[in-house]
Amino acid sequence: MPIITCIEDLHRIYKRRVPKMFYDYAQSGSWTEQTFRENCKDFEQIRLRQRVAINMEGRSTASQMVGQDVAMPVALAPVGMLGMQHADGEIKAATAARDFGVPFTLSTMSICSIEDVAAATNAPFWFQLYVMRDQDYTDRLIARAKDAGCNAMVLTLDLQILGQRHNDLKNGLSAPPKLTLPVIADLATKWRWGLGMLGTKRRQFGNIVGHAKDVDDVQSLMAWTHKQFDPRLDWDKVKEYRRRWDGKLILKGILDPEDAVKALDVGADAIIVSNHGGRQIDGALSSIRMLAPILDAVGDRIEVHLDSGIRSGQDVLKALAMGATGTMVGRAMVFGLGAMGQDGVTRALEVIHKELDTNMALCGRKSVQDLDRDILLVPKGFSGDWA
Ligand code: GLV
């Protein structure tokens, strides 16, 4: 096994091992990618205050997210098509998360189905819901998540229509990939990936094929989104989902203080401050910049998790110190998964944990509960003075 010391090591191996189509899918933002870039860049503007001669023995990153004990407040974000990044990717990532003690979130647009993941991991996980026009199908998805023992539902609010990612169109993104000449040429150099795929039967959207009416073949996320995702989703419908789901409800895609207050009003248990990793709206501010105004609006009346832009434990530390109670990582997990399957996801979690723990200690703090703005140097006007 190569020596992995940082997430970027996993990224480099991932790029070599996974077909370009799926690498590009994960690594793209929408349109000009301004929001995608700024999600990461803005973390760099926040600095940590080094403090010394403080006893740093007996540290802990343990915490809770929506009432569940976690080894560190870092959940694996829902990412579509993990099973195309690595054979049985959702099962591999969920197993790594279970063993590490952090939540795994299964995307509606996964390759392994809800039932596949439940059977393989034998442990509760979070289910991410995209609301579809076909109410009956959506209702059954929710019932399936309940039956599988999912202990939280993550309702995504920022993808009723799909932001354009140029590469996905140019690459003809599909699952499984269509074997065009450029794809065959690319796959010839990705033999490890190909062998894995030959060894599994899970190569289609597992929550859809065989479950949605008259659908026995969905290849394209884009085509399916245009046809099926419900653009009419509004706060009244969100209220309805709150009533129907008796487990924890987490609303993902909140990027504005007014929407955060609405999420509070519908009785959500947590919100995820997110711009979908810069994959939906292009031109919005980064999640980390929007965190402070959102916290000002909702205070500690609701759990606030931060998603989009986190690539290190230092980023997690900064988000927690700014006031988030939890965080989510998507791409850092994908890099690990594509590079080395389950071991790669575990390695990504270990890297983030060590970075979080060590830098927390060097800021003079012993537990994630002790973190606050005092350990940060935030440039004046960071969250903006926007009119
Ligand atoms: C969602 O499934 C996405 O592609 O961002």
Side-chain angles (χ1 to χ4, degrees):
M1 193 175 183
I3 298 173
I4 303 295
T5 60
C6 58
I7 297 297
E8 195 45 36
D9 287 344
L10 292 167
H11 183 192
R12 266 193 302 274
I13 300 172
Y14 165 59
K15 189 170 187 181
R16 279 204 311 270
R17 293 190 174 171
V18 172
K20 180 176 183 310
M21 176 186 293
F22 302 117
Y23 174 84
D24 284 350
Y25 169 68
Q27 214 20 27
S28 294
S30 57
W31 288 287
T32 68
E33 301 192 325
Q34 179 186 14
T35 302
F36 167 68
R37 285 189 300 276
E38 289 184 1
N39 278 336
C40 292
K41 272 205 208 142
D42 287 348
F43 268 105
E44 287 177 17
Q45 292 199 35
I46 301 174
R47 306 291 157 81
L48 300 170
R49 274 179 74 196
Q50 171 176 284
R51 304 303 302 276
V52 296
I54 296 169
N55 179 359
M56 48 174 83
E57 203 169 60
R59 296 184 309 279
S60 166
T61 59
S63 187
Q64 289 203 327
M65 290 176 86
V66 288
Q68 294 166 34
D69 289 331
V70 292
M72 62 178 173
V74 179
L76 298 187
V79 176
M81 293 199 281
L82 281 185
M84 283 291 126
Q85 302 291 356
H86 191 280
D88 298 334
E90 289 87 2
I91 290 175
K92 301 278 160 64
T95 308
R98 178 199 67 191
D99 294 350
F100 200 91
V102 294
F104 169 77
T105 319
L106 183 74
S107 166
T108 294
M109 301 308 291
S110 58
I111 301 298
C112 304
S113 67
I114 301 172
E115 293 78 11
D116 288 337
V117 175
T121 58
N122 222 351
F125 54 94
W126 296 358
F127 178 67
Q128 176 270 337
L129 180 73
Y130 282 130
V131 173
M132 306 289 178
R133 283 179 184 276
D134 181 344
Q135 187 66 51
D136 178 56
Y137 169 71
T138 308
D139 289 347
R140 276 184 289 116
L141 259 184
I142 297 172
R144 288 168 58 198
K146 189 90 214 146
D147 288 348
C150 293
N151 50 4
M153 184 162 89
V154 176
L155 180 56
T156 298
L157 299 178
D158 62 358
L159 200 149
Q160 290 132 294
I161 52 172
L162 198 68
Q164 179 172 308
R165 304 126 198 192
H166 304 315
N167 282 334
D168 292 349
L169 294 172
K170 292 181 171 119
N171 291 332
L173 175 73
S174 67
K178 283 202 190 84
L179 293 179
T180 58
L181 270 179
V183 169
I184 293 169
D186 181 40
L187 290 185
T189 64
K190 310 286 162 51
W191 57 269
R192 199 190 292 261
W193 180 92
L195 280 181
M197 285 297 159
L198 287 176
T200 179
K201 53 183 189 323
R202 301 184 185 96
R203 293 192 286 259
Q204 287 181 308
F205 290 101
N207 289 327
I208 298 168
V209 175
H211 293 280
K213 251 185 237 104
D214 305 324
V215 176
D216 43 25
D217 178 26
V218 182
Q219 273 211 315
S220 161
L221 173 64
M222 277 166 277
W224 177 259
T225 312
H226 289 318
K227 269 207 336 246
Q228 277 296 334
F229 283 33
D230 194 348
R232 299 164 302 182
L233 177 62
D234 61 11
W235 285 105
D236 284 337
K237 294 217 173 76
V238 175
K239 253 187 231 154
E240 228 175 280
Y241 286 105
R242 170 66 293 185
R243 268 197 302 276
R244 275 205 246 157
W245 179 261
D246 54 8
K248 300 290 182 183
L249 179 72
I250 306 174
L251 297 181
K252 179 167 180 283
I254 303 293
L255 201 66
D256 191 277
E258 286 179 23
D259 288 336
V261 171
K262 288 190 171 131
L264 187 66
D265 291 345
V266 299
D269 296 286
I271 57 173
I272 303 173
V273 176
S274 173
N275 50 43
H276 216 101
R279 301 163 67 75
Q280 285 294 101
I281 190 170
D282 180 37
L285 287 178
S286 63
S287 291
I288 189 65
R289 272 194 207 256
M290 290 310 297
L291 180 59
I294 286 174
L295 285 165
D296 287 346
V298 295
D300 55 9
R301 289 176 293 164
I302 190 167
E303 261 186 55
V304 178
H305 303 167
L306 191 286
D307 168 78
S308 304
I310 292 179
R311 302 287 187 279
S312 69
Q314 293 86 303
D315 294 342
V316 172
L317 180 63
K318 289 171 184 176
L320 297 176
M322 288 283 276
T325 46
T327 59
M328 284 202 138
V329 293
R331 292 187 178 90
M333 158 193 59
V334 172
F335 299 164
L337 180 69
M340 287 188 265
Q342 185 176 324
D343 287 345
V345 178
T346 301
R347 197 67 201 105
L349 289 168
E350 287 168 352
V351 164
I352 289 171
H353 180 262
K354 181 169 184 197
E355 291 169 341
L356 168 63
D357 175 56
T358 310
N359 288 294
M360 175 175 81
L362 293 170
C363 288
R365 300 295 165 91
K366 288 208 284 199
S367 84
V368 290
Q369 284 75 28
D370 294 342
L371 298 174
D372 55 33
R373 279 286 293 269
D374 209 40
I375 68 160
L376 299 179
L377 295 164
V378 182
K380 287 209 172 66
F382 177 72
S383 286
D385 186 14
W386 308 85

